[in-house]
Every structure is written in structure tokens, then in C-alpha cells.
Amino acid sequence: MKDYEDSVAFLGQWGRFQQVVFFLLCSSIFPNGFTFSVVFLTDAPRHHCLVPEVNLTQDWHNASIPIEVVNGNQQLSRCSRFRLDVVRNLSAQGLVPGRDVNLTDLEQEGCVDGWSYSRDVYQSTIVSEFDLVCGEQWKQPFTTTVFLLGVLVGSFFSGQLSDRFGRKPVFFCTMAVQTIFSFFQIFSTSWIVFTILGFISGIGQISNYVSAFVLGNEILTGNVRVLFSSLGVCLGYAFGYMMLPLLAYFFRGWKSLLLAISLPGLLYIPLWWFIPESPRWLLSQGRVEEAENIVRKAAKWNKVDAPLVIFEDYGVHVDETKTNPKEQHNVFNLVKTKNIRNTTFILCLLWLTLSMGYYGLSLNTSRLHANPYISCFLSAAVEVPAYTSSWLALRYFPRRLSVVSTLLVGGLSLYFLQLVPESLSELAVALEMLGKFAMTAGFTLMYAYTAELYPTVLRNTATGTCSAVSKVGSSIAPFLSQLSGDFEYLPYVVMGTLAVVSAFAALFLPETLGRPLPQTIQQMHKRQSLKCPFITRRGHSNPQVLLQSRL
């Protein structure tokens, strides 16, 4: 069977057709950058127990909330107050708090009348809306976890649906799911309703990203494909991510923010008439005529002449298979043979590690700076050089070497964090941003690397499955900060250790630099070489293998 890229080489790599597909698919990723809106939606404003307007002097009203010491700083207690009936009696007697009465001797009670929330940063969040504080504080990270579990489910099933029904319909359907259910969250009457709608929105959130990514990888060729997979879609995501704190700054209520991030999805409806189905996928389904029609339309857009028969070899292949039942490929093909199974397991470990690191550091932005909007922007801005670096790495360096390097840089920078004294807070922020840079670059490399390892019939299933596994890591990330306890840097040690272990495992993956995308599982088998590139079978260094691994 003639290679697809050879069959469509007459189109060129950067004609009008490729430009339209490239920029439209990149722009469709923009709303995916709003993923971290949960940083603002679930943030807890400063709060303390509400003290009702009762017959209290101003002194007793101000002193009715106990003072606590947190991390060396004094602040009002968030979850308790002095018993109101006792305070009222002392106030009626004309006693002065702190002078006539020792406040530490007074009995305390919970926030039986609710809480008072500061509005200096937010007008409202779901925390202040549904009182997700004190005994209900666990719901703050759990809200994010449920959303990311929806992303997990969407990643897993969208890949298989896309391989079965096509890239284009799944892409637009999941985009609609994301837009509609994000909008419906505005009308949530309880935390449970908000969380359920967030779960469904999460199903569409990553699904359209994966579908758009695979669609672009299969339509575009050569260096343009590398540019799209490593820089194009990622910068579209980063641009949306950097716009998020700006929107959150102007829309400080959680309902108005949700409205601002859901409405842009409506702008992508007209793209249905401009973004084509993947010719590669159509060919894998035996729909040669439809694939040729798309390529001929592309030839007109690019003002080049198309051959009389574009996919002649594919036509012969289809004729030969008409008498045989068409084999259906699913997620079980990813573990069917030893070589493919080993590749799948290693990739799942890498995706899990990079996702946990990426989301763990991204959701930790509130600790970087007192202003959450600046913190979020810093976290988003560092992704631009990370994506640029990953594009350069994919273009000029071996995939395996690039992935191993980013994992080691990310892991070691997180280890070094615990060695930084408190007086050098800027250095700690720099190391954390270096870790975020490395995890982001590695995450980007994995999308392209995974797509290059698997054949067309399994590519979206493999990408979706690996993405689903990675969401297990991202679902754990919101609770990582709770591991700190007596050791503040334990979350960083966990993420760093996983990164170093994954770097070693990545050494056993096949190299794909400069090789065409496999079309069939048989072609993937021929490319498997799951052994350390630096060691021969006898365990001695092999300079020739080392040289070949770097070419």
C-alpha cells in the first residue's frame, strides 16, 4: 500500500487548504484554556463566622471572633466564634473585652449563623455561594476532581468513538457538550447540581481537544504537522489560559465568569463547513471515494492539479477486503501483543506522571503570589516558552531523548525546592516555574510522540486512552497539597520521584523521528524496539546503537 503522505505530496505542505485547517483547529482549542477556571470558581475568599446584628457594643462585636495563629501569622478564626449568648451578657454588663474579661477563658461555638465572606478579591465563588468551608471544605478540591474525572471519561470514550464514527462529528459534538453544560452550571441551585454539570462539561472539555489534535495530525504532513502538534494547538490553549485571569479579573462573580467562558463556544458552529473529515481515517474505513473528494477539494484550494487516481493502491486494498469481515479495532488492541502492550504501559506511566505534575503545579498558583490573577497569569505565561521548546525539540531532536530530558529537569527542580530557604522566596517560585515549564513541555511532547507510535486504526483510541490514564493523575492533583502535613514539600517529592522513574522507563520506547506515521498494526510491529538504546543484549555499551539513537 502506498504511503498516504506520498499520495498527497502534490498538495504541498503549506497551501491555502493546510493554512485554513491549521488556524481553524488551533483557534478551536482556545476555550480549552479555560480549564483552570476552577482556580477562581472554587477559591475560598477570606471568611469568618457571621455575627448577627444583636445588642453588642462595637468592642464586643469586633472581639467575638477568636484570633488564631496560622503559619506564624495571626488571623480571625474561620470556623469558630465565642458563644453569642455569653458575649451578649458580658456586653450588657458593660465589661470591656481584653481588660475586664480574658477572652481565652470564653467558650467557643461553630458558625451556627453562617459565614461572612470578604469581597476584596471576588464578588462570589461557589465556596461563598454554597458555604464550602470548615466541615464542608473537602468539597473544594473534590469539585475539581469530579470535573477532571469527567475529563477522564471523555478522554477514554471519545477516542474510541472517534475511531469508530470519525474525527469530525466527535469533535463538534464534544465541543457542544462543553459549551452547553458550562452554561447550564450558571443555574445550579446546589453544590451537587454544579458538580454533576461540571462532570458532564469535563467529558467534552478534553474530548474535542484530542479530536482536533488527531484531526490536524492526520490532515497535515511533514514539518507543518510537527508545528501544529507541538506549537499550534498548544499556543491556542496557552492563549486561552492567559486570557482566563483577565476575564476573571473583570467578571468577579462565579456566574458571570461561567457565562464569559461558555459563550465563545457558539462562535465555532460555522467551522463545520470549513473543517473536513480526516482522509486518513476515511481510507482506514475503506471510504476511498470520500477521501479523494476531500483531497481534490484541497487541490483546488491550493491551485494545483490532482492525479486522475489519487489512492489507487487503497482502492485495490479495499477490493481485496470486501469478501472478508472488516476488523474492528478497540482499546483491547492496545494490549493485544507483547510489544504494543509494553509501549502502552510505558506511555500510560509517562502520561500519568506528567499530568499529575502539570495539574498539581497549575492548581497551586494561589501560593505563588498574593494576587490570584497574577499567579494564574504567571502559570499560564510560562507555558509559551515550554510549547516553543517542545516544538524545537520535536523538529531537531529525537523524541525519546526529549521526553527523558524534560522529565529529569522537572523532577530535579521539584526536589531542589525543599533546599531553598524561606528568605529566598523568589528562587522557590523560579524553581516551581521551571518544574511547570518542564512538565508542560513533556506533556506536549507526549501528544505528538503517542500519535507517531500508533497506526491510523488505533491512533485516536491510543491517544484518548493515554489521555484518560493521565486524568487519573490530574484527578489526584487537587488533593496533593493535603499531603504536606508535617512536611511541606512532600507533594513536590512525590511528583519529582515519579518524574525520575518515568524518565528511566522512557528509555525503552521506540524512536519515531523522521519516520512516516504507521497506517496498520503490522507497520507498528515493524517499528517496535522495546529495549534500552544504550545497552546491547550482553549488557555492554554499544556506541553504534548510541549514535543511531541520536540521529
Side-chain angles (χ1 to χ4, degrees), residues 20-47:
V20 170
V21 171
F22 184 97
F23 289 111
L24 290 184
L25 287 178
C26 289
S27 67
S28 72
I29 304 299
F30 181 87
N32 295 94
F34 299 149
T35 301
F36 292 106
S37 59
V38 292
V39 170
F40 302 103
L41 295 173
T42 64
D43 200 6
R46 290 189 297 109
H47 57 276

Short mmCIF file of all heavy atoms in Angstrom, two decimals, residues 20-47:
data_model
loop_
_atom_site.label_atom_id
_atom_site.label_comp_id
_atom_site.label_asym_id
_atom_site.label_seq_id
_atom_site.Cartn_x
_atom_site.Cartn_y
_atom_site.Cartn_z
N VAL A 20 -5.93 26.97 6.26
CA VAL A 20 -7.27 27.07 6.84
C VAL A 20 -7.46 26.03 7.94
O VAL A 20 -7.93 26.34 9.04
CB VAL A 20 -8.34 26.90 5.74
CG1 VAL A 20 -9.73 26.75 6.37
CG2 VAL A 20 -8.33 28.10 4.80
N VAL A 21 -7.09 24.78 7.64
CA VAL A 21 -7.23 23.72 8.64
C VAL A 21 -6.38 24.03 9.87
O VAL A 21 -6.83 23.88 11.02
CB VAL A 21 -6.82 22.36 8.02
CG1 VAL A 21 -6.74 21.28 9.11
CG2 VAL A 21 -7.82 21.95 6.96
N PHE A 22 -5.16 24.47 9.64
CA PHE A 22 -4.22 24.75 10.73
C PHE A 22 -4.79 25.80 11.68
O PHE A 22 -4.90 25.58 12.89
CB PHE A 22 -2.88 25.22 10.15
CG PHE A 22 -1.81 25.46 11.16
CD1 PHE A 22 -0.86 24.49 11.42
CD2 PHE A 22 -1.73 26.66 11.87
CE1 PHE A 22 0.15 24.70 12.36
CE2 PHE A 22 -0.74 26.88 12.80
CZ PHE A 22 0.20 25.89 13.05
N PHE A 23 -5.19 26.94 11.15
CA PHE A 23 -5.61 28.05 12.02
C PHE A 23 -7.00 27.82 12.63
O PHE A 23 -7.25 28.23 13.76
CB PHE A 23 -5.57 29.36 11.24
CG PHE A 23 -4.17 29.83 10.95
CD1 PHE A 23 -3.67 29.84 9.66
CD2 PHE A 23 -3.35 30.25 11.99
CE1 PHE A 23 -2.38 30.26 9.40
CE2 PHE A 23 -2.05 30.67 11.74
CZ PHE A 23 -1.56 30.68 10.44
N LEU A 24 -7.89 27.16 11.90
CA LEU A 24 -9.21 26.90 12.47
C LEU A 24 -9.13 25.90 13.61
O LEU A 24 -9.79 26.08 14.65
CB LEU A 24 -10.17 26.41 11.39
CG LEU A 24 -10.61 27.44 10.35
CD1 LEU A 24 -11.63 26.84 9.39
CD2 LEU A 24 -11.20 28.69 11.01
N LEU A 25 -8.35 24.85 13.44
CA LEU A 25 -8.22 23.87 14.50
C LEU A 25 -7.49 24.47 15.72
O LEU A 25 -7.85 24.19 16.87
CB LEU A 25 -7.47 22.63 14.01
CG LEU A 25 -8.26 21.71 13.07
CD1 LEU A 25 -7.40 20.54 12.62
CD2 LEU A 25 -9.53 21.19 13.74
N CYS A 26 -6.49 25.30 15.45
CA CYS A 26 -5.80 25.95 16.58
C CYS A 26 -6.73 26.88 17.34
O CYS A 26 -6.72 26.92 18.58
CB CYS A 26 -4.59 26.74 16.06
SG CYS A 26 -3.21 25.71 15.51
N SER A 27 -7.56 27.62 16.60
CA SER A 27 -8.49 28.54 17.28
C SER A 27 -9.56 27.79 18.06
O SER A 27 -10.09 28.30 19.06
CB SER A 27 -9.15 29.47 16.25
OG SER A 27 -10.00 28.76 15.39
N SER A 28 -9.90 26.57 17.62
CA SER A 28 -10.92 25.79 18.33
C SER A 28 -10.44 25.33 19.70
O SER A 28 -11.24 24.93 20.55
CB SER A 28 -11.33 24.58 17.49
OG SER A 28 -10.30 23.59 17.48
N ILE A 29 -9.12 25.38 19.92
CA ILE A 29 -8.56 24.95 21.20
C ILE A 29 -8.67 26.06 22.24
O ILE A 29 -8.52 25.83 23.44
CB ILE A 29 -7.08 24.54 21.01
CG1 ILE A 29 -6.97 23.45 19.93
CG2 ILE A 29 -6.46 24.03 22.30
CD1 ILE A 29 -7.71 22.18 20.26
N PHE A 30 -8.93 27.28 21.80
CA PHE A 30 -8.95 28.44 22.70
C PHE A 30 -9.81 28.21 23.95
O PHE A 30 -9.34 28.46 25.07
CB PHE A 30 -9.42 29.66 21.92
CG PHE A 30 -9.47 30.93 22.71
CD1 PHE A 30 -8.35 31.74 22.82
CD2 PHE A 30 -10.63 31.33 23.36
CE1 PHE A 30 -8.39 32.91 23.56
CE2 PHE A 30 -10.68 32.50 24.09
CZ PHE A 30 -9.55 33.29 24.20
N PRO A 31 -11.07 27.73 23.85
CA PRO A 31 -11.88 27.55 25.07
C PRO A 31 -11.33 26.49 26.01
O PRO A 31 -11.66 26.49 27.20
CB PRO A 31 -13.25 27.13 24.52
CG PRO A 31 -13.26 27.62 23.11
CD PRO A 31 -11.85 27.49 22.63
N ASN A 32 -10.49 25.56 25.49
CA ASN A 32 -9.91 24.56 26.38
C ASN A 32 -8.95 25.17 27.38
O ASN A 32 -8.66 24.58 28.43
CB ASN A 32 -9.19 23.48 25.56
CG ASN A 32 -10.14 22.69 24.69
OD1 ASN A 32 -10.33 23.02 23.52
ND2 ASN A 32 -10.75 21.67 25.23
N GLY A 33 -8.43 26.36 27.06
CA GLY A 33 -7.56 27.05 28.00
C GLY A 33 -8.28 27.53 29.24
O GLY A 33 -7.63 27.94 30.22
N PHE A 34 -9.62 27.48 29.22
CA PHE A 34 -10.39 27.90 30.40
C PHE A 34 -10.55 26.78 31.42
O PHE A 34 -11.30 26.92 32.38
CB PHE A 34 -11.78 28.38 29.97
CG PHE A 34 -11.76 29.56 29.04
CD1 PHE A 34 -12.75 29.73 28.08
CD2 PHE A 34 -10.74 30.50 29.09
CE1 PHE A 34 -12.74 30.82 27.22
CE2 PHE A 34 -10.71 31.59 28.24
CZ PHE A 34 -11.72 31.75 27.30
N THR A 35 -9.83 25.68 31.21
CA THR A 35 -9.92 24.55 32.14
C THR A 35 -9.70 24.97 33.58
O THR A 35 -10.41 24.54 34.50
CB THR A 35 -8.88 23.47 31.77
OG1 THR A 35 -9.11 23.04 30.44
CG2 THR A 35 -8.96 22.29 32.71
N PHE A 36 -8.70 25.85 33.78
CA PHE A 36 -8.33 26.22 35.14
C PHE A 36 -9.20 27.34 35.70
O PHE A 36 -8.79 28.02 36.67
CB PHE A 36 -6.86 26.58 35.20
CG PHE A 36 -5.97 25.40 34.95
CD1 PHE A 36 -5.30 25.26 33.74
CD2 PHE A 36 -5.84 24.41 35.90
CE1 PHE A 36 -4.50 24.16 33.51
CE2 PHE A 36 -5.04 23.30 35.67
CZ PHE A 36 -4.37 23.17 34.47
N SER A 37 -10.37 27.52 35.12
CA SER A 37 -11.33 28.43 35.74
C SER A 37 -11.71 27.95 37.14
O SER A 37 -12.15 28.74 37.97
CB SER A 37 -12.60 28.55 34.87
OG SER A 37 -13.21 27.28 34.71
N VAL A 38 -11.49 26.65 37.40
CA VAL A 38 -11.78 26.12 38.74
C VAL A 38 -10.91 26.79 39.80
O VAL A 38 -11.26 26.80 40.98
CB VAL A 38 -11.59 24.58 38.77
CG1 VAL A 38 -12.65 23.89 37.94
CG2 VAL A 38 -10.19 24.19 38.32
N VAL A 39 -9.74 27.32 39.39
CA VAL A 39 -8.89 28.04 40.33
C VAL A 39 -9.64 29.21 40.93
O VAL A 39 -9.52 29.51 42.14
CB VAL A 39 -7.60 28.52 39.63
CG1 VAL A 39 -6.82 29.47 40.54
CG2 VAL A 39 -6.73 27.33 39.24
N PHE A 40 -10.46 29.88 40.12
CA PHE A 40 -11.23 31.03 40.59
C PHE A 40 -12.61 30.62 41.10
O PHE A 40 -13.11 31.18 42.08
CB PHE A 40 -11.38 32.05 39.46
CG PHE A 40 -10.07 32.55 38.93
CD1 PHE A 40 -9.57 32.08 37.72
CD2 PHE A 40 -9.30 33.46 39.63
CE1 PHE A 40 -8.36 32.52 37.22
CE2 PHE A 40 -8.09 33.91 39.15
CZ PHE A 40 -7.61 33.44 37.94
N LEU A 41 -13.23 29.66 40.43
CA LEU A 41 -14.58 29.25 40.82
C LEU A 41 -14.61 28.60 42.20
O LEU A 41 -15.59 28.75 42.94
CB LEU A 41 -15.16 28.29 39.78
CG LEU A 41 -15.40 28.85 38.38
CD1 LEU A 41 -15.81 27.75 37.42
CD2 LEU A 41 -16.46 29.94 38.41
N THR A 42 -13.55 27.86 42.54
CA THR A 42 -13.54 27.13 43.80
C THR A 42 -12.60 27.75 44.84
O THR A 42 -12.33 27.11 45.87
CB THR A 42 -13.12 25.66 43.57
OG1 THR A 42 -11.77 25.61 43.09
CG2 THR A 42 -14.04 24.99 42.56
N ASP A 43 -12.09 28.94 44.58
CA ASP A 43 -11.21 29.58 45.55
C ASP A 43 -12.03 30.05 46.75
O ASP A 43 -13.18 30.46 46.62
CB ASP A 43 -10.48 30.77 44.92
CG ASP A 43 -9.23 31.15 45.69
OD1 ASP A 43 -8.89 30.42 46.64
OD2 ASP A 43 -8.60 32.17 45.36
N ALA A 44 -11.41 29.96 47.92
CA ALA A 44 -12.11 30.34 49.15
C ALA A 44 -11.74 31.77 49.54
O ALA A 44 -10.58 32.03 49.88
CB ALA A 44 -11.75 29.38 50.28
N PRO A 45 -12.67 32.71 49.50
CA PRO A 45 -12.37 34.07 49.97
C PRO A 45 -12.09 34.06 51.47
O PRO A 45 -12.45 33.12 52.18
CB PRO A 45 -13.67 34.85 49.65
CG PRO A 45 -14.46 33.97 48.74
CD PRO A 45 -14.06 32.57 49.04
N ARG A 46 -11.44 35.10 51.96
CA ARG A 46 -11.26 35.23 53.40
C ARG A 46 -12.64 35.26 54.07
O ARG A 46 -13.56 35.93 53.59
CB ARG A 46 -10.48 36.50 53.73
CG ARG A 46 -9.02 36.46 53.33
CD ARG A 46 -8.24 37.65 53.86
NE ARG A 46 -8.74 38.91 53.31
CZ ARG A 46 -9.42 39.81 54.00
NH1 ARG A 46 -9.71 39.57 55.27
NH2 ARG A 46 -9.83 40.93 53.43
N HIS A 47 -12.75 34.53 55.15
CA HIS A 47 -14.07 34.42 55.78
C HIS A 47 -13.92 34.17 57.28
O HIS A 47 -12.86 33.75 57.76
CB HIS A 47 -14.88 33.28 55.15
CG HIS A 47 -14.19 31.94 55.22
ND1 HIS A 47 -13.25 31.55 54.30
CD2 HIS A 47 -14.29 30.92 56.12
CE1 HIS A 47 -12.81 30.34 54.61
NE2 HIS A 47 -13.42 29.93 55.71
#
